[in-house]
């Protein structure tokens, strides 16, 4: 059970990110929370592929023995780029919102309601 | 395979054919027109053509605003709409919060109410 | 009120996510632990990659062979996401750059 | 190999590749002038529409189509040396996928035609049209893919391009606010889906939907699967706008340009497709579909009722219609949820399958009439310059065609008989009644309230004294609205055309997860 410590830390990170998204009243902090969740999920995927005493799945100068699973690393590469794209979009929206509303407080950025 | 150009569709307890409906609709229009033709011939212009709005005489240019339509309904449902207005806060934190809330509810429902077969 | 409700929600989510992490076995205990750090339960797809990537794609790095060959379509999708984001940022910030309207 | 053979063999890949290539080249071609770029965009959209029709034909004729990226040949799902596991990304096109691809490309084509006139004179149009094509790519990809991670990637393309398009008319910052909310909500949802995919990957070491379903069935439905299922189902329900999580819908739809609202509405139907695909194909064999179905039914009831009552309150024409699309999504969830709740019992053949057909037919109908209504709302805003119903009036004096198209759409959405909305609503009422009469009663009440609020819009926008001296909208917008109206009337009078070629294959494909799995894992043809 304690060997699952990487998973536990991932879950704690996810909860921190979600906490920031629900309780922080600043748009930038909401985006940061989203990024924390994203990093945590990436970490989770990578740690799923770990094999005990495994080496990186590269055959150049490989000492032999078990290799860690390669697919999670490939998936993480893709999802990191996707996360960067998402953050870029969200932060550019934040710039515009600040320009038009003069604030980043989520309680004031609500001209659309009901 | 069904014939795609057959307009009728059969439901568990009946059948629906739009062409028959259109025929009946046209027929009822015809009957209405016949009744209209049988109306009083003595009717003159200007007898019953004044426009009233809630008992007040109105000229032809009054337009009821959208917010005033359905006032009675909105008044009757006041409590419900107050609740709804409170829920729709428009704060982004609450949007995420509702998502997590439904997620938690769903997890609990599946835990206690048979998600695992 | 809102905070109390959100606290309950968070406690529920924390307990379920921690369950995922610690993974003590199943509720109805038909099956044992599903994934333990360091020893995955099934590894056949990844073993295929590890054993055949060098022959089939000529890449010494298995991850490279997956990113650019076996799952190359995902990489195309990733490039499209990046392209989308670039276009979206350009569209959103067009007023700051001084374009008309 | 002739060109025709090439197209037939590679149709699933081309349906993604063509709009993607179109999107990549649009900013370049726009340098050659707006007219050239428009011809390019419209021909790309038209070709995509043709490919979607071809997919429907292929699926109806030859059964489920499997396309393996990088496979040799491209239908070889399982390599002979892999020991029976799929290695590469596999597109699996069954009736439901082809159906969703068809409605996505149709609304893309219609929106493309409409935006020729409606966006004329606005800035950054090269980016606008490229994003429009990317949104089509996202929807088509979600519909066609058979791989979970690939589904996530296309979901991200879908949400990012939709968010960017929502912010197109900045509208004093309101559109940007809506886009921000939409992007945050859909990103957190997509991350939760990625988390669920990771859980499923960690358990089964597979990313193919059929493979995961197969292994889940063999090893038994575990608690991990339950958590992954909850994450996926809740997220996709949010992405399609089911009620306790519908708040982004009125913001997003309300602030986007008219044709983009119609497209995002169909993009949310693509998420609905994803929801049905996950519920039926991936989890359908192992999970308790009865409780899952009731979950969808309850979400559907809430969506129907709260959506329509909130719509009655609105005085912004786009927001009002947005709440109505929440309510219409409820009908689909209700219909398909009844199918899912009765899956595997004798009731399924009595009325469950029929309820599913009703729900799926409602997706098609909703695309048609809701798209038409959003387009008419866009036309009104195009001429009047405001979306506030309180400031409108008397538009029917001059915008006669728009008024007629609006009336067709409004009568169809309210379920007045000769139009298509009635047929699918009838199918849902009749079959849902047999599960629980209360459901049908709520559905009928919601239908009445729908009629009431669309009469309100008709009265305040089109009737009354002539307040604005406006002209009819340009031709391309009328053509786009005319296409949708034509199909509304056609499917209203001959519902069996849609039923035979689109809806019944889709419902049967969803109801048969074993066929899907064996088609993929059986080695391909």
């Amino acid at each position: 059970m304690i060997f699952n410590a990487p998973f536990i830390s991932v879950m704690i990170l996810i909860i921190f990110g979600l906490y920031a998204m629900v309780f922080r009243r600043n748009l930038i902090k909401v985006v940061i929370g989203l990024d924390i969740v994203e990093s945590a999920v990436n970490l989770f995927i990578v740690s799923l592929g770990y094999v005990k005493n495994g080496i990186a799945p590269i055959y150049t100068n490989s000492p032999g023995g078990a290799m860690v699973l390669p697919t999670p690393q490939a998936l993480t590469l893709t999802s990191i780029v996707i996360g960067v794209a998402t953050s870029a979009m969200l932060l550019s929206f934040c710039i515009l919102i600040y320009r038009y509303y003069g604030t980043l407080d989520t309680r004031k950025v609500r001209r659309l309601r009901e | 395979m069904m014939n795609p150009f057959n307009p009728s569709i059969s439901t568990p307890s009946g059948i629906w054919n739009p062409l028959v409906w259109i025929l009946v609709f046209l027929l009822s229009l015809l009957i209405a027109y016949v009744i209209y033709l049988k109306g009083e011939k003595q009717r003159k212009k200007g007898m019953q053509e004044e426009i009233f709005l809630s008992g007040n005489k109105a000229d032809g240019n009054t337009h009821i605003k959208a917010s005033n339509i359905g006032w009675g309904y909105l008044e009757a449902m006041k409590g419900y709409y107050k609740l709804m207005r409170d829920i729709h806060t428009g704060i982004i934190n609450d949007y995420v919060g509702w998502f997590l809330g439904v997620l938690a509810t769903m997890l609990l429902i599946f835990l206690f109410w048979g998600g695992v077969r | 009120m809102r905070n109390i409700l959100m606290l309950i929600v968070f406690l529920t989510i924390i307990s379920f996510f921690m369950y995922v992490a610690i993974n003590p076995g199943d509720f109805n205990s038909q099956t044992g632990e599903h994934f333990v750090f360091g020893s995955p339960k099934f590894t056949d797809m990844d073993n295929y990659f590890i054993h055949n990537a060098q022959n089939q794609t000529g890449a010494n790095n298995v991850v490279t062979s997956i990113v650019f060959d076996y799952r190359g379509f995902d990489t195309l999708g990733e490039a499209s996401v990046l392209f989308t984001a670039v276009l979206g940022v350009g569209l959103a910030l067009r007023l700051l750059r001084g374009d008309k309207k | 190999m002739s060109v025709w053979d090439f197209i037939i063999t590679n149709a699933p890949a081309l349906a993604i590749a063509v709009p993607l290539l179109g999107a990549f080249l649009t900013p370049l071609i726009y340098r050659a002038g707006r007219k050239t770029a428009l011809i390019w965009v419209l021909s790309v959209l038209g070709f995509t529409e043709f490919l979607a029709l071809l997919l429907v034909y292929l699926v109806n004729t030859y059964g489920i189509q499997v396309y393996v990226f990088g496979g040799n040949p491209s239908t070889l799902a399982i390599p002979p040396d892999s020991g029976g596991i799929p290695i590469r990304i596999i597109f699996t096109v069954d009736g439901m996928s082809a159906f969703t691809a068809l409605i996505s490309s149709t609304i893309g084509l219609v929106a493309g035609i409409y935006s020729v006139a409606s966006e004329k004179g606005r800035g950054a149009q090269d980016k606008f049209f490229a994003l429009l094509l990317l949104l089509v790519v996202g929807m088509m990809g979600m519909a066609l893919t058979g791989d979970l991670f690939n589904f996530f990637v296309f979901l991200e393309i879908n949400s990012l391009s939709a968010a960017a398009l929502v912010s197109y008319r900045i509208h004093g910052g309101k559109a940007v606010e809506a886009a921000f909310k939409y992007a945050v909500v859909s990103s957190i949802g997509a991350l939760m889906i990625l988390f669920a995919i990771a859980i499923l990957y960690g358990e089964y070491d597979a990313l193919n939907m059929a493979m995961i379903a197969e292994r889940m069935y063999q090893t038994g439905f575990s608690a991990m699967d339950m958590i992954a299922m909850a994450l996926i189902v809740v997220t996709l329900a949010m992405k399609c706008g089911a009620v306790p999580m519908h708040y982004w819908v009125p913001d997003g739809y309300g602030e986007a340009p008219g044709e983009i609202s119609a497209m995002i509405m169909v993009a949310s139907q693509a998420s609905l497709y994803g929801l049905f695909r996950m519920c039926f194909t991936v989890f359908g064999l192992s999970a308790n579909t009865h409780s899952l179905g009731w979950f969808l039914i309850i979400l559907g009831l809430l969506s129907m009722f709260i959506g329509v009552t909130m719509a009655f309150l609105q005085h912004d024409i786009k927001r009002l219609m947005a709440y109505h699309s929440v309510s219409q999504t409820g009908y689909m969830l209700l219909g398909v949820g009844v199918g899912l709740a009765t899956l595997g019992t004798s009731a399924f053949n009595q009325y469950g399958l029929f309820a599913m057909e009703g729900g799926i037919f409602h997706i098609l109908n909703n695309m048609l009439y809701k798209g038409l209504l959003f387009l008419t709302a866009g036309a009104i805003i195009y001429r009047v310059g405001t979306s506030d119903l309180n400031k409108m009036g008397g538009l029917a004096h001059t915008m006669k065609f728009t008024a007629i198209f609006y009336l067709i759409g409004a009568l169809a959405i309210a379920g007045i008989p000769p139009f298509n909305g009635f047929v699918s609503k009838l199918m849902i009422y009749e079959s849902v009644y047999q599960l629980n009469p209360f459901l049908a009663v709520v559905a009928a009440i919601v239908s009445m309230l729908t009629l009431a609020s669309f009469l309100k819009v008709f009265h305040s926008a089109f009737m009354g004294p002539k307040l604005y001296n406006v002209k009819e909208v340009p031709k391309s917008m009328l053509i786009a609205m005319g296409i949708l109206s034509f199909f509304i009337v056609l499917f209203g009078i001959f519902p069996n055309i849609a039923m035979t070629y689109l809806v019944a294959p889709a419902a049967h494909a969803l109801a048969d997860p074993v066929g899907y799995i064996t088609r993929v894992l059986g080695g391909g043809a």
Side-chain angles (χ1 to χ4, degrees), chain A residues 1 3-9 11-12 14-15 18-20 22-23 25 44 47-52 57-60 67-75 77-79 81-82 84-86 88-89 92-93 95-96 99-100, chain C residues 2-3 6-7 10 13-14 17-18 20-24 33 35-40 42-43 45-47 49-51 53-54 59-63 66-67 71 74-75 78-79 81-82 84-86 88-89 92-93 95-96:
Chain A
M1 247 184 241
F3 306 112
N4 280 347
F7 294 153
I8 294 173
S9 55
M11 298 308 153
I12 291 171
I14 290 184
I15 296 296
L18 292 178
Y19 174 84
V22 174
F23 288 102
R25 300 293 194 183
F44 182 56
S47 56
L48 278 176
Y50 179 69
V51 177
K52 210 168 275 175
I58 303 170
Y59 279 106
T60 318
M67 284 181 172
V68 300
L69 307 187
T71 315
Q73 304 186 14
L75 300 188
L77 278 175
T78 306
S79 90
V81 175
I82 290 173
V84 167
T86 316
M89 289 258 326
S92 70
F93 287 147
I95 295 174
L96 275 181
R99 190 179 156 90
Y100 283 101
Chain C
R2 173 183 182 270
N3 287 354
M6 283 320 294
L7 194 70
F10 262 78
I13 289 182
I14 287 171
F17 282 12
M18 281 302 162
V20 172
I22 297 170
N23 200 351
E33 298 186 18
F35 43 83
V36 180
F37 185 70
S39 50
F42 290 101
T43 52
M45 183 171 80
D46 290 277
N47 281 340
F49 289 143
I50 289 175
H51 293 140
Q54 219 176 3
N60 267 343
N61 189 336
V62 183
V63 179
I66 292 175
V67 169
R71 301 190 69 82
D74 273 347
T75 312
E78 166 201 326
V81 172
L82 208 54
T84 311
V86 169
V89 171
L93 299 184
L95 293 182
L96 297 186

Side-chain angles (χ1 to χ4, degrees), chain D residues 236-316:
Chain D
L236 289 174
M238 177 188 74
K239 287 282 295 173
C240 72
V243 141
M245 307 162 284
H246 66 291
Y247 305 103
W248 62 270
V249 173
D251 299 354
Y253 294 12
E255 293 303 319
E259 70 277 13
I260 299 304
S261 303
M263 282 192 77
I264 302 174
M265 191 259 308
V266 177
S268 71
Q269 310 303 325
S271 305
L272 199 67
Y273 157 80
L275 179 61
F276 296 158
R277 169 65 68 215
M278 297 293 171
C279 288
F280 280 92
T281 306
V282 179
F283 300 107
L285 285 178
S286 330
N288 184 345
T289 49
H290 184 73
S291 60
L292 194 58
W294 271 99
F295 183 76
L296 291 190
I297 290 171
I298 289 166
L299 277 187
L301 278 187
L302 281 174
S303 306
M304 277 155 62
F305 190 72
I306 294 183
V308 80
T309 45
M310 284 305 292
F312 201 84
L313 197 64
Q314 306 298 320
H315 53 81
D316 182 307

Side-chain angles (χ1 to χ4, degrees), chain D residues 58-59 62-66 92-95 509 512 515-517 519-520:
Chain D
L58 287 176
V59 169
Y62 303 109
I64 297 174
Q65 300 284 305
V66 172
T92 316
V93 188
D94 65 357
D512 180 23
Y516 183 97
I517 293 165
R519 182 70 183 80
V520 178

Side-chain angles (χ1 to χ4, degrees), chain D residues 103-188:
Chain D
I103 63 170
S104 314
S105 60
T106 307
I107 203 73
L109 182 62
V110 169
I113 294 173
Y114 185 89
S115 52
V116 168
S118 73
E119 304 303 330
K120 198 171 183 177
R122 291 179 186 276
Q125 285 203 13
D126 50 344
K127 301 189 185 74
F128 176 84
F129 281 110
L131 283 167
L132 197 148
L133 286 170
L134 279 169
L135 185 51
V136 175
V137 172
M139 293 190 278
M140 301 280 278
M142 280 171 73
L144 299 180
T145 190
D147 189 276
L148 275 180
F149 193 76
N150 208 238
F151 181 82
F152 162 76
V153 171
F154 281 111
L155 187 73
E156 281 284 7
I157 295 180
N158 187 342
S159 15
L160 282 185
S161 53
L165 285 169
V166 168
S167 77
Y168 182 55
R169 295 186 181 169
I170 292 181
H171 196 218
K174 272 165 110 177
V176 184
E177 183 193 335
F180 180 82
K181 286 174 175 171
Y182 178 51
V184 167
V185 165
S186 49
S187 306
I188 186 70

Side-chain angles (χ1 to χ4, degrees), chain C residues 73 76, chain D residues 6-21 47-48 51-52 54-55 58 65-71 74 89-93 137 140-141 144-145 150 154:
Chain C
F73 191 64
L76 176 67
Chain D
F6 177 78
I7 290 179
I8 291 219
T9 319
N10 296 306
L14 281 176
I16 306 295
V18 167
L20 199 56
L21 179 74
F47 192 54
T48 315
L51 285 170
L54 182 68
L55 279 178
L58 287 176
Q65 300 284 305
V66 172
Y67 187 89
V68 184
F69 282 89
S74 63
I89 292 176
I90 300 176
F91 269 22
T92 316
V93 188
V137 172
M140 301 280 278
L144 299 180
T145 190
N150 208 238
F154 281 111

